[in-house]
Amino acid sequence: RITQVQFLNATPNKSKNQIWHRDNTFPGLTAIIALKDVTANGPTELLPKSHNISNNQHPYTLWIELQNAWKERQQQHNENDQLASSTAIPSCQPLLGCLHAGDAILYDARTLHRGRGYTSNALHINKLNNHPSVKEEDNDRPVLVLRWDAVDTPPPGAGIIVTTANGYLGSMLYSAFYTFCNIM
């Protein structure tokens, strides 16, 4: 059943990075529907495969999975360049939920994710120069969020301690993603 409906609006230069979090510690589904285009400036950022880490599992498990995925990707690339370029193999980078208006992303409610900050230098420059026109990309970015959870496991499924721990876990894994990508 639908357990949550939210309207979220990212405002330029006011929307900051959220903490890394899970929508639920139990299986569920989250849908984000863009009501306007959401570009690389301010989308939802997701850590692939993080839904596989339970609250009592060591984050090193995801690191090993990332290494294996990267090795598999490199091996397939070496074996067949065309296959590697046409096959959807997960990247070692965090995923950005860039969407056109009307598009949606769906993800497991246990996936570590955050809303990224939304900055706008163009809006600031227009205000400094007393320029009345503001580009469409500088407007607010509304999205609709729908959540489906089991009746016996309502969100968030975690108290303040687990939520804080997930924030730290997300920050560590985010750093690991970029470290791993840079050394490979």
Side-chain angles (χ1 to χ4, degrees):
R1 71 180 176 115
I2 293 180
T3 55
Q4 190 175 54
V5 176
Q6 289 182 323
F7 175 80
L8 298 177
N9 192 29
T11 305
N13 298 319
K14 292 183 182 175
S15 299
K16 307 295 181 204
N17 286 346
Q18 292 179 342
I19 64 164
W20 290 99
H21 65 280
R22 300 173 194 259
D23 291 334
N24 200 330
T25 56
F26 298 97
L29 183 65
T30 300
I32 298 177
I33 304 165
L35 302 177
K36 285 190 176 180
D37 290 350
V38 178
T39 64
N41 183 4
T44 297
E45 189 170 30
L46 303 113
L47 296 177
K49 296 190 175 190
S50 61
H51 67 287
N52 292 327
I53 299 175
S54 67
N55 288 326
N56 58 1
Q57 188 177 10
H58 199 279
Y60 185 70
T61 304
L62 182 60
W63 178 252
I64 296 299
E65 288 182 24
L66 286 172
Q67 288 178 324
N68 290 338
W70 183 259
K71 287 176 187 174
E72 180 181 331
R73 180 179 181 180
Q74 291 299 97
Q75 183 179 8
Q76 285 185 357
H77 181 67
N78 292 338
E79 290 174 1
N80 185 342
D81 288 342
Q82 273 191 335
L83 176 65
S85 64
S86 65
T87 304
I89 300 170
S91 167
C92 66
Q93 299 282 339
L95 300 176
L96 295 180
C98 299
L99 304 167
H100 293 291
D103 288 350
I105 57 173
L106 299 171
Y107 57 90
D108 188 302
R110 297 169 295 175
T111 301
L112 284 164
H113 66 284
R114 68 175 178 175
R116 287 180 65 179
Y118 175 26
T119 60
S120 177
N121 291 334
L123 183 62
H124 181 67
I125 291 167
N126 284 339
K127 284 183 178 179
L128 286 176
N129 295 331
N130 291 323
H131 197 277
S133 68
V134 176
K135 296 179 183 177
E136 178 67 23
E137 66 191 36
D138 296 322
N139 290 336
D140 293 353
R141 293 204 181 130
V143 297
L144 182 62
V145 181
L146 303 172
R147 298 277 326 285
W148 289 268
D149 295 289
V151 174
D152 57 340
T153 58
I160 189 69
I161 293 172
V162 173
T163 300
T164 302
N166 281 330
Y168 287 116
L169 174 62
S171 295
M172 289 185 326
L173 291 174
Y174 180 78
S175 297
F177 269 89
Y178 279 106
T179 300
F180 179 70
C181 290
N182 289 331
I183 62 173
M184 297 304 281

